[in-house]
Amino acid sequence: MGRLQQVYILLVFIGLFILFITIFTDIVVVLKNGVLENRTPTCTTKKTDIVFLKMHKAASSSIQNILMRFGDRHDLLFVLPQTGNYIGHPRPFHHSMVPKLKVSALNIHYNIIAHHIRFNYHELKRVMPRNALFFTILRKPAELFESLYSYYSLENFFKTPITNFGINQTKENINKRLVGKIGRNQMSFDLGLNEKDFENVTLLTEFAKEINREFNLVMIAEQMDESLVLLKNLLCWETDDIIVFKLNARENKFVKPINSRLRLQIEKFNYADLMLYNFFKDKLAEKIKNFGVQKLAAGVKELRERRDLWFKYCVQGENLVTDIKEGKKPVYRNSKVTKLKAREDNDTCVKMTEEELIYTDMLREKQKTFLL
């Protein structure tokens, strides 16, 4: 064998060795990060069985709108309250709260829960399909509590402005809840935590771990776009499926700035929520790393570009809801909230900006023939 042939064989061997190492390294990295499925896409069917724990004042109305539009478009069945937008809450969810469906040869079942419930995992599993995906969203506790205080005028309920909440108040008073639903540690309460356990640090840690086991994704409101891209991947949806505008938001003049003193004060009395938020903020960071930072950034860029296009096409203005004279009248309107005015010649635009209670009534009407 000539020297030239030996060199050629050696180069081929080196090339094959480098290729093997590269492939092996890629596989190891992918397996280590737990995202092998993203390298070889297996997500071909959109997920349709979903439980969304709608959280008070955490951008949940916007997420709910995504689910209502998707379910409406694909003729899916929602678990809906008979009136309003609460199912049982503040009582923990129970399967008996769900309207029964007619027996059908089509073997129909409920697909989506997207309205206010008080979380009870085992009872929800009795109602929803076995493979239903669970997700929710959390928000910084200080900002969430300020929003609650303003939106529900809690200064009248607690007889003190938010700047004095918890100061010189009895424990009984600060643990009161407006209509049994709204108050301290709202996120933990909505997720089913008993009020007597609000200050049990050991139990709070276990509570967060339990929620982590039961939910496929916990979004973070301050990282909404990143969370939406992860949700899109989880549900095997398309970018246009997760386009959403900011809905049910207060006008800026009703938002109270939170200084460092007030933040510490609010976080002290909402410590269960603070622990929960910090736990899942770290979990979201892990999910982003596993998903791939660059891949996520590309998804966020695409999402923002598509949202801008939809917004420019659909939205013709914004007003306080109490200033809107024409059109349909909702069951309830908060005077501090703004409403987007959509072009009326496009059904998608109308539904992307629709108020929760109006859209819920539309869904009730649409699926009433399936109920006993």
Side-chain angles (χ1 to χ4, degrees), residues 69-78 111 366-367 370:
R69 287 182 358 242
F70 182 88
D72 187 12
R73 187 165 63 252
H74 293 277
D75 295 322
L76 304 177
L77 279 179
F78 290 83
N111 301 105
K366 179 179 178 179
Q367 63 184 49
F370 294 100

Side-chain angles (χ1 to χ4, degrees), residues 308-364:
D308 287 345
L309 286 173
W310 274 105
F311 192 88
K312 289 173 183 176
Y313 177 74
C314 286
V315 178
Q316 298 179 329
E318 184 175 5
N319 303 93
L320 282 171
V321 291
T322 50
D323 294 336
I324 300 171
K325 305 299 182 184
E326 77 285 354
K328 296 164 279 189
K329 294 182 178 179
V331 179
Y332 171 77
R333 277 180 169 171
N334 189 295
S335 61
K336 300 172 183 177
V337 170
T338 58
K339 167 80 165 97
L340 298 176
K341 178 176 174 57
R343 58 186 303 161
E344 297 181 357
D345 61 345
N346 184 286
D347 185 63
T348 299
C349 291
V350 171
K351 289 177 178 177
M352 288 177 86
T353 60
E354 192 59 275
E355 294 171 60
E356 175 185 353
L357 290 169
I358 293 176
Y359 207 155
T360 300
D361 282 341
M362 291 165 54
L363 293 174
R364 284 194 193 97

Side-chain angles (χ1 to χ4, degrees), residues 48-51 75-82 87 93-102 106-114 124-133 363-364 367-372:
T48 56
D49 298 326
I50 301 162
V51 175
D75 295 322
L76 304 177
L77 279 179
F78 290 83
V79 176
L80 298 174
Q82 293 186 350
I87 304 172
F93 180 85
H94 191 271
H95 71 276
S96 62
M97 298 172 179
V98 178
K100 287 183 169 47
L101 297 171
K102 292 179 180 177
L106 297 176
N107 192 29
I108 60 172
H109 62 267
Y110 283 114
N111 301 105
I112 299 176
I113 293 181
L124 285 163
K125 294 290 283 186
R126 293 184 64 175
V127 173
M128 300 301 291
R130 182 173 59 87
N131 293 323
L133 294 170
L363 293 174
R364 284 194 193 97
Q367 63 184 49
K368 67 180 182 181
T369 56
F370 294 100
L371 304 180
L372 284 175

Side-chain angles (χ1 to χ4, degrees), residues 139-157:
R139 182 185 181 187
K140 284 183 177 179
E143 278 74 8
L144 183 140
F145 191 71
E146 184 278 326
S147 184
L148 282 175
Y149 224 87
S150 170
Y151 189 86
Y152 292 103
S153 300
L154 294 182
E155 66 273 9
N156 298 325
F157 179 68

Side-chain angles (χ1 to χ4, degrees), residues 92 118-119 175 177 184-185 188-200 203-204 207 272:
R118 187 135 181 254
F119 190 62
N175 281 332
R177 308 197 79 81
R184 182 184 175 208
N185 288 312
S188 299
F189 183 80
D190 286 344
L191 281 164
L193 184 66
N194 194 307
E195 294 158 284
K196 69 179 176 59
D197 296 321
F198 279 172
E199 297 172 16
N200 186 332
L203 189 143
L204 292 179
F207 176 69

